[in-house]
Amino acid sequence: MSPSAHSAAGTPEGTRHRRAAVIGSPIGHSRSPVLHRAAYAHLGLDCSYDAVEVLPPDLASFMEQVRHDDQWCGLSVTMPHKAAMVPLVHRLTGPAAVLKVLNTVTVDGAGSDRVLTGHNTDVAGIVGALRYGGVTHPPGSAVILGGGGTAAASLAALQLLGADHATVVVRSPERAASLQDLGRTLGLGVELREWSAAAACVLTADVAISTLPPRGADPLGGELLAAPAASTTAAPVLLDVAYDPWPSALASAWQARGGIIVPGLEMLIYQAVEQVRLFSGAAFADGAGVLKVMCDAVGAAAR
């Protein structure tokens, strides 16, 4: 039986109980359990999914427990573990190998042969969310707010959408130099700007992605409301990865200026579909159905 089927040796695929979870700190706000549980119920898969608080000092020992428990099939990984998890897995695939940031771990094999593989489905989540928001052509001007792991995934997503340049606005440009290195790897020009330039940057953007934590961009929202009305007829798109509270102050200001807003919940849904695909193996047979039940579970508009 192939490792990708996530089956314990000697146990028929689809009959054993599986276990998955989202880990991070804090984690109580996560909507991932609602999304994943709806998906596994739809697929008829016996897989539990919980939110587990894991503090940074406990991450390595937690992963040792996962590796030695054959019920685990996967983890969703959120802050502050997206980069710290990289040295704790055996291998990285796709975007995770390039970005050196992951948000997903699959657990394959049985017994002493268990293998932890790191993936990054945030890139697919950002691409899906922006396309849902109407980004169907390469953006001429793209701005990312924040310089962490989600900003790295945003650069990869913009490159997949055809962008050739992006501006990253951060509080400490010298600490975000690795994003310029990543841009060179991706073939994407990256300009770093200080936070004092945030309003000027986003006011001229076709696409903006805020990777800041909840309420992190609230002051910027006030600056946008005070700025002169937009002179262009094109509606710029904002993806704010924070989804609680929603709408954020930034999203409200963006919409008031005639822009299109995409909540982080959309990104969460699209990246979760890819996680379910990875965790379910051969049991994943209805991507459109999984997307629908996930949207229904959190009250998102039907696709």
Side-chain angles (χ1 to χ4, degrees), residues 75-279:
L75 296 170
S76 306
V77 182
T78 188
M79 297 302 291
H81 303 317
K82 290 187 175 185
M85 182 70 82
V86 169
L88 300 179
V89 300
H90 297 101
R91 61 190 182 192
L92 299 171
T93 65
V98 176
L99 304 179
K100 299 301 187 288
V101 175
L102 61 82
N103 75 319
T104 308
V105 176
T106 52
V107 191
D108 299 299
S112 60
D113 295 326
R114 301 271 277 171
V115 175
L116 306 179
T117 304
H119 313 263
N120 192 309
T121 69
D122 279 341
V123 177
I126 294 167
V127 169
L130 288 175
R131 285 177 173 162
Y132 175 75
V135 180
T136 56
H137 302 288
S141 175
V143 174
I144 299 169
L145 302 176
T150 307
S154 298
L155 286 175
L158 289 170
Q159 188 270 336
L160 288 174
L161 288 168
D164 57 19
H165 183 272
T167 299
V168 180
V169 185
V170 291
R171 300 194 185 279
S172 301
E174 64 277 5
R175 297 175 59 184
S178 62
L179 292 178
Q180 289 185 310
D181 296 335
L182 173 61
R184 284 187 281 272
T185 299
L186 295 170
L188 184 73
V190 175
E191 179 184 7
L192 298 178
R193 299 289 302 273
E194 294 185 354
W195 188 254
S196 58
C201 289
V202 299
L203 284 170
T204 58
D206 299 321
V207 173
I209 304 171
S210 174
T211 69
L212 301 176
R215 303 192 183 280
D218 283 5
L220 179 57
E223 291 185 59
L224 296 190
L225 287 176
S231 58
T232 179
T233 57
V237 176
L238 166 71
L239 167 61
D240 189 344
V241 303
Y243 55 84
D244 185 18
W246 186 261
S248 64
L250 176 61
S252 294
W254 192 275
Q255 190 172 47
R257 293 179 57 82
I260 297 169
I261 57 174
V262 183
L265 187 59
E266 294 294 335
M267 172 188 167
L268 185 68
I269 290 170
Y270 282 106
Q271 66 84 26
V273 171
E274 296 306 310
Q275 289 183 333
V276 171
R277 186 192 310 274
L278 290 167
F279 296 168

Side-chain angles (χ1 to χ4, degrees), residues 58 60-70 72 114:
D58 302 326
S61 60
F62 178 82
M63 293 308 297
E64 274 300 301
Q65 295 174 30
V66 169
R67 184 180 178 187
H68 292 94
D69 183 345
D70 282 357
W72 283 103
R114 301 271 277 171

